[in-house]
Amino acid sequence: TPQPDRPMVAIVIGGLGFNARTTTQAIDELPPEVTLSFVPYADNLQSWIDRARARGHEVLLELPMEPFDPEADDTGPQTLLASASAQQNIGRLEQLLSRGAGYFGVTNYQGARFATSAQASAPVVQTLRRRGLVFISSGIGQRTALSVEAQRAGLLATAADRLIDVRQEASAIDDQLLNLEALALQNQSAIGAGFAYPVTIEQVGRWTGDIASRGYQLAPASAVLNARAARR
């Protein structure tokens, strides 16, 4: 339930499902308001999603999208490609979405190149819209061909404001979390995205422990998304 007098801050922790220890840590130790994002290729994906939801977390499914340097960033066999036909990308999208159930939306894994192609993005966002999903992007820019096509298709979408763990150091993550607070104070809400590194989970856990005493509301990503949509 939104508290009108408190800016909302959401955190999305991604890359979950591959490493059992860090996935368990994120599910069990982070507050339920933290949104969790799962890799579609993970073994026992549905079991992880079920466990996360049982602990109160909402869940996103990651869609691997073509990066600028595929050799440096392996995004797997079902990657959505800027150069692929609509039929090819939709076929891959359907396979990815069929890997599990219980997620309220999707997010990108990589995707800087894919996001530059309106032609490739349009059928993907239209399919997501028809399925009643939402899209929360991170690390590919606020204004891309992908975001434009999402808006055109009527897909409820927003972007994370900060990647909190580009530097995998406790002090650097703390600095980014403080930046999120400043953004939330300025804009009424903020979304931070991080990866399932042990240091990220630890620092986010500490930071969320007293966020209410600092005048902020820790909120699921869907709450921030809905609040932003209502203000448009």
Side-chain angles (χ1 to χ4, degrees), residues 81 89 114-126 145-147 149-150:
L81 302 174
N89 276 333
F114 182 84
T116 65
S117 173
Q119 184 175 357
S121 298
V124 169
V125 297
Q126 290 163 9
L146 176 58
S147 67
E149 291 304 318

Side-chain angles (χ1 to χ4, degrees), residues 94-169:
E94 296 286 0
Q95 288 191 45
L96 292 165
L97 295 177
S98 71
R99 293 279 297 162
Y103 47 87
F104 78 101
V106 298
T107 185
N108 59 292
Y109 174 66
Q110 300 291 341
R113 182 183 294 278
F114 182 84
T116 65
S117 173
Q119 184 175 357
S121 298
V124 169
V125 297
Q126 290 163 9
T127 301
L128 295 174
R129 173 68 177 84
R130 285 194 297 270
R131 281 179 169 257
L133 298 169
V134 304
F135 178 56
I136 298 177
S137 66
S138 65
I140 55 175
Q142 299 275 356
R143 189 73 175 171
T144 63
L146 176 58
S147 67
V148 171
E149 291 304 318
Q151 185 176 16
R152 184 173 293 157
L155 176 66
L156 193 59
T158 194
D161 301 289
R162 287 284 186 277
L163 296 177
I164 62 173
D165 53 4
V166 174
R167 289 171 54 201
Q168 298 169 44
E169 302 169 7

Side-chain angles (χ1 to χ4, degrees), residues 15-103:
L16 294 166
F18 273 156
N19 185 300
R21 186 178 66 82
T22 54
T23 301
T24 299
Q25 184 182 5
I27 292 172
D28 292 346
E29 297 181 16
L30 292 177
E33 292 85 358
V34 174
T35 298
L36 303 181
S37 172
F38 286 84
V39 179
Y41 304 129
D43 292 333
N44 303 314
L45 175 63
Q46 192 60 56
S47 294
W48 286 123
I49 292 175
D50 291 345
R51 182 168 174 178
R53 294 197 63 192
R55 295 285 293 188
H57 299 279
E58 65 180 15
V59 170
L60 290 166
L61 185 70
E62 296 176 12
L63 299 182
M65 298 179 179
E66 184 180 7
F68 277 120
D69 188 356
E71 293 185 3
D73 301 300
D74 183 10
T75 49
Q78 301 301 326
T79 300
L80 305 180
L81 302 174
S83 58
S85 68
Q87 184 177 9
Q88 288 173 315
N89 276 333
I90 295 305
R92 292 184 174 194
L93 175 64
E94 296 286 0
Q95 288 191 45
L96 292 165
L97 295 177
S98 71
R99 293 279 297 162
Y103 47 87

Side-chain angles (χ1 to χ4, degrees), residues 142-207:
Q142 299 275 356
R143 189 73 175 171
T144 63
L146 176 58
S147 67
V148 171
E149 291 304 318
Q151 185 176 16
R152 184 173 293 157
L155 176 66
L156 193 59
T158 194
D161 301 289
R162 287 284 186 277
L163 296 177
I164 62 173
D165 53 4
V166 174
R167 289 171 54 201
Q168 298 169 44
E169 302 169 7
S171 59
I173 293 169
D174 289 344
D175 287 344
Q176 290 302 321
L177 292 170
L178 288 175
N179 285 338
L180 279 181
E181 291 185 10
L183 284 171
L185 197 59
Q186 179 180 350
N187 302 321
Q188 302 179 43
S189 66
I191 300 176
F195 194 77
Y197 302 120
V199 66
T200 302
I201 295 172
E202 182 175 350
Q203 295 311 116
V204 168
R206 289 179 177 176
W207 171 77

